[in-house]
Amino acid sequence: MQTNGDGNRRKQRFRERLEVLRDSELHRHVRRHLPSGGWTRRQWIHASLFTTIGIMVATIIPGFSSAIPAPKATHATLALELPELEGDAAQDHAGDSWQTLRIKPGQTLGGLFEELEIPATTMHQFLANDDFKALMRRLKPGTEISFDMPVGGTLRALRYDRDLSSRVVLSLKGEKVVEKVIPRETTTRTVVLSGKVGSSLNRSARKAGLTAANINALTDDIFKYDIDFNSDLDSDDRFSVVVQQTWREGELVATGPIEAATFTVDGKLHSGFRYARPGSTAEYFTAQGRPLKKSFIRMPIPYARLSSKFGARKHPVLGTMRMHKGVDYAAVTGTPIMAAGDAKVQFAGVQRGYGNVVILDHGRGYTTLYGHMSRIGKVRPGQRIAQGTVIGYVGSTGLATGPHLHYEFRVNGAHRNPLSITMPPPEPLGGAQLASFKTQTRDALARIHTVESAIYADLEPGTPVESKVDRAAVTEVADATPAKGQKKGGKKKAGTRKKRG
């Protein structure tokens, strides 16, 4: 504690130093300004003023030093309870962490372990676990695996997601691998994603939240028969789809297939709804229950040239006039050949002048034949396949002068011209299936109408709404669509849209 005596002595020493300083400065000033004849009245006034100021400073400043008390430092100690560490974590060393790596295209598990400088013997220890081995068999680019690697130490554990709702942690305990499954909570929501075509349908659809698989389904499965996506679309045309999204810990981890979709092109509404008939795979139907997929595609090979038509002709190899019972499509060897419709494989092998050939039975008396293949695809007699399945590849086996596909269309055994025959209409839904489909369709349409009414100002008034969509879905859609007043692309001139037959 500072006493009053100490303070007084400090003041006295300070005054003495200040007076010495003042005298020296005054002396220097006098020597510089004093004329040879003595001081003037003005100089004496200045000297007196400086002296007065010096005395006042010497008196006031030491008083401040003792008048202002120094702040007292206060300290407080608070005890915090920390959670107990589990298991091996309690023995971790400073700097330990999980390292998460993502599988690159072409990368193997061995390459991943080598990148982390983990011995192959350790990798084989983990491969002794059946679950981990199964994961490695279906290892795909983008798969994430995390490694617990102490700094300067060896691998202690690894973890990965078995599926969307469970994570597996494999820990090394000596020579044994201990498995622990950690449940991860997920939530699934049915949402509506919507947008306008703008300058690019693909870009707008991805911005709206559709996956690449969703976009392919929109253009190749649902609307490819009704909309020409190369020439029919305009920037103001809009689309809306109903999908299920799976969320985990605030992150979107999966988007399901399109359950329902609408596409408004030049003011005309096109719609499609996903439905699975009992015992068959899911497909898309119109609102009236008619399949959107046609029973047959006329051209089972893409990007090919029609080289020979149906009818009588001179055979290019035999040189005789014969009935050409099909049509020929010239294409490069190895070009994929697709099934013209859903079918059961009737024959797959070598047959006389056809070379490698596949015959498909589509039911109701309809069969198709595909000849001169370079090789047959992964199909076998008795197998049921879907329309568009690759059944073989273009070649020149059998009686052929060059690579091409010989394609025949038969009705009850009689050959018909594939280019001119009226294709049978697809079988629509009926009875209990149609009633179930209508119920499902009504809910999906109501969701779409609700969202479109909220985000599109030009939606026709009076659209019936039978149920409300989640507010989260509306928000997501609104973020993915142009704001009101945003500049839109110009309309095409009248008559530029191509109408498909």
Side-chain angles (χ1 to χ4, degrees), residues 15 38-39 54 82 88 104 109 121 243 268 277 281 288 324 336 339 358 360 377 386 390 398 404 417 426 466 495:
R15 290 193 186 97
W39 279 7
L82 299 177
D88 293 339
K104 304 171 185 175
L109 180 66
T121 53
V243 295
K268 182 179 180 181
R277 304 177 197 248
T281 58
Q288 293 73 36
H324 190 221
V358 172
L360 302 180
V390 175
H404 71 280
N417 186 352
E466 299 178 23

Side-chain angles (χ1 to χ4, degrees), residues 164 187-193 205-206 208-215 241-247 251-259 476:
L164 294 178
T187 57
T188 302
R189 295 185 299 175
T190 300
V191 300
V192 179
L193 306 177
R206 293 306 293 263
L210 275 71
T211 64
N214 293 151
I215 299 172
V241 300
V242 178
V243 295
Q244 285 193 336
Q245 292 182 337
T246 302
W247 293 77
E251 178 186 5
L252 177 63
V253 293
T255 300
I258 294 177
E259 300 296 334
E476 290 175 14

